[in-house]
Amino acid sequence: MAQSAWIKRYPNDTEVHPAGTPVRELWMVMEGALELRRDAYTGARSVLSFSQPGEILGFNSQFSDAVPTYNVMTYGFTKLLHIPGSTMRDVLREQPELVWTVASYYFTRLQLRTDYIALHATAPLKERIILQLLQMARQTANMTDEIHLRLSQESLAFLLGTSRQSINRELKTLKDLGLIDYKGGKIHVPSLSTLMSLHDLSMKN
């Protein structure tokens, strides 16, 4: 697989793949981030998800004829490993024991997304922010208790479908509590376990 893959570097806000076209490859984020984004003709924008270093995108389209309805865009300077979908399918045919690994990875992501949608339907904004940070932390490679996420307030507002001003107020509350810090489009979580405990406590109440 390594022989057919290639690395490419992208500037910020560059379209990696347009909506409405078949996906023929997978992308592994090595640096920077990818966002799945929908831009309406009215100028409105929604961000479906962010993918941090270590994440792999493109599985869905390798096992179905589904065509994505979103654009795949870079967030910041981004380095991607491109893996041809045909190569991955050849490897799985030759080593069927890997199918379970791929399926486990995919369905774990699907479960996270399902939980995310269910909780975001009713949770207050502060809890939705905490949930979003926890989800992004779980998706990072080599997750530790201290996490640095590349995510601006504007992008977080797009993700949660609210205003930047509302996000700023809630982030300030979390910062005053010592749960996070933020500067220059990055959010620092000094103790992921503390943030997780707060989320678990709010879910019980």
Side-chain angles (χ1 to χ4, degrees), residues 36-40 44-48 69-71:
L36 307 185
R37 193 171 86 193
R38 299 184 67 175
D39 295 282
R45 174 185 297 178
S46 63
V47 177
L48 307 179
T69 59
Y70 47 78
N71 301 305

Side-chain angles (χ1 to χ4, degrees), residues 109-121 131 135:
R109 285 174 55 90
L110 183 61
Q111 183 62 54
L112 287 172
R113 184 59 50 82
T114 303
D115 292 344
Y116 172 87
I117 293 171
L119 291 172
H120 275 241
L131 177 63
Q135 185 191 48

Side-chain angles (χ1 to χ4, degrees), residues 85-116:
S86 57
T87 300
M88 187 201 72
R89 292 191 296 272
D90 288 343
V91 170
L92 293 180
R93 278 192 289 266
E94 295 169 4
Q95 302 181 57
E97 67 274 11
L98 294 178
V99 172
W100 176 250
T101 301
V102 173
S104 178
Y105 175 83
Y106 176 79
F107 285 112
T108 297
R109 285 174 55 90
L110 183 61
Q111 183 62 54
L112 287 172
R113 184 59 50 82
T114 303
D115 292 344
Y116 172 87

Side-chain angles (χ1 to χ4, degrees), residues 24-180:
R24 308 297 187 193
E25 58 188 16
L26 293 91
W27 307 287
M28 179 177 182
V29 183
M30 302 179 72
E31 294 179 17
L34 287 178
E35 61 178 16
L36 307 185
R37 193 171 86 193
R38 299 184 67 175
D39 295 282
Y41 69 91
T42 59
R45 174 185 297 178
S46 63
V47 177
L48 307 179
S49 69
F50 266 81
S51 297
Q52 304 282 334
E55 285 193 72
I56 302 175
L57 287 81
F59 280 115
N60 299 34
S61 300
Q62 307 309 316
F63 299 100
S64 73
D65 296 325
V67 175
T69 59
Y70 47 78
N71 301 305
V72 181
M73 308 291 296
T74 61
Y75 182 78
F77 170 83
T78 301
K79 182 166 70 171
L80 299 178
L81 176 66
H82 292 254
I83 306 170
S86 57
T87 300
M88 187 201 72
R89 292 191 296 272
D90 288 343
V91 170
L92 293 180
R93 278 192 289 266
E94 295 169 4
Q95 302 181 57
E97 67 274 11
L98 294 178
V99 172
W100 176 250
T101 301
V102 173
S104 178
Y105 175 83
Y106 176 79
F107 285 112
T108 297
R109 285 174 55 90
L110 183 61
Q111 183 62 54
L112 287 172
R113 184 59 50 82
T114 303
D115 292 344
Y116 172 87
I117 293 171
L119 291 172
H120 275 241
T122 56
L125 182 56
K126 183 172 71 174
E127 293 178 20
R128 292 166 59 201
I129 291 174
I130 292 174
L131 177 63
Q132 180 65 51
L133 298 180
L134 290 175
Q135 185 191 48
M136 293 181 69
R138 291 188 185 105
Q139 294 173 182
T140 59
N142 303 318
M143 187 179 76
T144 60
D145 197 46
E146 182 178 4
I147 294 292
H148 295 268
L149 298 172
R150 185 179 182 84
L151 181 67
S152 69
Q153 293 184 39
E154 182 181 33
S155 296
L156 187 55
F158 283 133
L159 270 169
L160 300 181
T162 188
S163 68
R164 186 180 182 279
Q165 292 76 13
S166 298
I167 291 293
N168 182 267
R169 285 195 297 270
E170 297 298 343
L171 287 181
K172 187 177 185 304
T173 299
L174 293 174
K175 182 177 181 179
D176 291 343
L177 292 171
L179 296 170
I180 67 164

